[in-house]
Amino acid sequence: DGGITQSPKYLFRKEGQNVTLSCEQNLNHDAMYWYRQDPGQGLRLIYYSQIVNDFQKGDIAEGYSVSREKKESFPLTVTSAQKNPTAFYLCASTLGKTYNSPLHFGNGTRLTVT
Amino acid sequence: GQQLNQSPQSMFIQEGEDVSMNCTSSSIFNTWLWYKQDPGEGPVLLIALYKAGELTSNGRLTAQFGITRKDSFLNISASIPSDVGIYFCAGRGGATNKLIFGTGTLLAVQP
């Protein structure tokens, strides 16, 4: 079955360490996105990529970095510069290069930094 | 900036009751999406709306794109325990045409 796979499901890190969250899709979707979810808040866009080797900052990109070397993969690195990294991270994709088609989400990675 | 208000924040109902939740925007939207999120999982698309006045059903769920293009509602009829979760609206439009998410409605259904 086609879908979006995020790994790991849970991730624990010490403060000051960089950590990379994996996102892979086999839907042949063009665009991929990373969102952050905090309790009581709507999803906030971190980064998105509409095409391989290209990506744009979202609303809260500071302290994060991404790469898009392959169409099916869009890893997110949470750097030590991110002041409040503990959150639920969601990866999503769309068939088209813009938001015109609905987002399809992975099952998320819960990151806890202590 | 654009704002998207979703209400209510939470609902605690008995099985069999109908549910209604809505989202309002400070600007005109051209797309409304409704998602459901189970605990620890990613949101799943329930209904997509692309036209003002559009009324779309998906089983016991019905959603409408408001005529003013600044609001949308989601109704769930005859709720069942598996309806439990967080329901999010998302809209796109305004000057940036970005997708914006509401803060979610937590639904609890008591058998």
Side-chain angles (χ1 to χ4, degrees), chain A residues 9 37 42 59 99 103 106-107, chain B residues 35 37 40-42 92 98:
Chain A
K9 181 75 171 174
Q37 185 175 28
D59 300 317
Y99 275 127
L103 291 166
N107 279 331
Chain B
Y35 287 87
Q37 185 177 27
E41 305 292 329
R92 187 180 68 248
K98 284 184 176 181

Side-chain angles (χ1 to χ4, degrees), chain B residues 18-72:
Chain B
D18 295 343
V19 170
S20 184
M21 59 192 78
N22 68 84
C23 282
T24 58
S25 166
S26 57
S27 55
I28 290 175
F29 279 2
N30 52 51
T31 300
W32 283 100
L33 306 171
W34 284 93
Y35 287 87
K36 182 195 176 195
Q37 185 177 27
D38 291 328
E41 305 292 329
V44 174
L45 181 67
L46 298 173
I47 293 177
L49 304 162
Y50 299 104
K51 190 176 173 183
E54 182 180 353
L55 184 71
T56 298
S57 293
N58 178 4
R60 293 177 295 105
L61 278 62
T62 301
Q64 184 161 28
F65 194 140
I67 294 291
T68 65
R69 297 173 64 191
K70 290 187 175 183
D71 61 354
S72 177

Side-chain angles (χ1 to χ4, degrees), chain A:
Chain A
D1 288 338
I4 302 174
T5 301
Q6 289 187 242
S7 62
K9 181 75 171 174
Y10 301 95
L11 194 52
F12 298 87
R13 278 293 182 271
K14 293 287 188 184
E15 194 174 325
Q17 293 180 335
N18 292 354
V19 60
T20 297
L21 282 60
S22 169
C23 178
E24 304 277 332
Q25 55 100 357
N26 60 3
L27 299 167
N28 199 32
H29 281 182
D30 295 301
M32 298 185 73
Y33 310 80
W34 275 105
Y35 285 88
R36 172 183 171 136
Q37 185 175 28
D38 294 286
Q41 296 194 35
L43 279 66
R44 292 183 291 168
L45 182 63
I46 304 172
Y47 266 99
Y48 65 101
S49 167
Q50 297 176 317
I51 196 169
V52 173
N53 292 323
D54 188 42
F55 47 83
Q56 287 78 41
K57 292 182 179 180
D59 300 317
I60 55 166
E62 186 175 349
Y64 300 97
S65 66
V66 293
S67 63
R68 187 89 185 275
E69 297 178 3
K70 299 185 295 182
K71 185 176 182 179
E72 56 271 21
S73 179
F74 191 41
L76 172 75
T77 297
V78 184
T79 75
S80 56
Q82 168 50 233
K83 296 191 183 340
N84 296 298
T86 294
F88 191 52
Y89 290 88
L90 287 161
C91 179
S93 67
T94 55
L95 180 59
K97 291 185 174 61
T98 69
Y99 275 127
N100 287 336
S101 52
L103 291 166
H104 295 268
F105 286 92
N107 279 331
T109 292
R110 184 165 297 281
L111 173 64
T112 302
V113 176
T114 57

